[in-house]
Amino acid sequence: MDRRHFLRLSGGAFIGATAFVEGGFNLFQAMPGVGNPLREYPDRGWEQILRDQYAYDDSFTFICAPNDTHMCRLRAFAQNGVVKRIEQNYDGAFY
């Protein structure tokens, strides 16, 4: 038995088992009584963690020239004097 045949059979067995357990495909339906799950989510403190992770005080551009083969213009984001994130700068102007 090859891998594709095994995955096909195991997927079919899972779908068949869920059809007979707990009244069919109720596992795949939305929870009753919840209109917007983001509005009624109990703890949204994780959003502030993401905002803090990407927060920055200052940003600056610089050029990286690895092995003198090409030059990449990069933008660094710093918070409290420490570079937290570097990404490629897509605009064509040098400031």
Side-chain angles (χ1 to χ4, degrees):
M1 177 183 300
D2 63 344
R3 182 173 181 248
R4 288 180 190 249
H5 187 66
F6 173 75
L7 290 175
R8 193 176 299 134
L9 287 177
S10 63
F14 174 73
I15 291 174
T18 56
F20 292 109
V21 175
E22 297 182 21
F25 290 99
N26 290 336
L27 298 174
F28 302 114
Q29 293 178 359
M31 294 287 293
V34 177
N36 183 358
L38 290 179
R39 181 174 291 146
E40 299 172 16
Y41 196 74
D43 181 25
R44 294 185 62 167
W46 58 271
E47 292 177 346
Q48 190 60 40
I49 294 172
L50 280 177
R51 288 188 191 103
D52 291 341
Q53 181 180 359
Y54 289 102
Y56 61 92
D57 298 332
D58 189 23
S59 70
F60 58 91
T61 59
F62 65 98
I63 294 176
C64 175
N67 298 328
D68 294 330
T69 56
H70 61 283
M71 296 201 181
C72 298
R73 185 162 178 245
L74 301 173
R75 183 178 200 125
F77 297 91
Q79 186 175 25
N80 297 329
V82 177
V83 174
K84 292 179 67 174
R85 187 180 68 204
I86 297 175
E87 65 184 32
Q88 186 173 358
N89 200 358
Y90 291 106
D91 60 352
F94 283 91
Y95 298 109

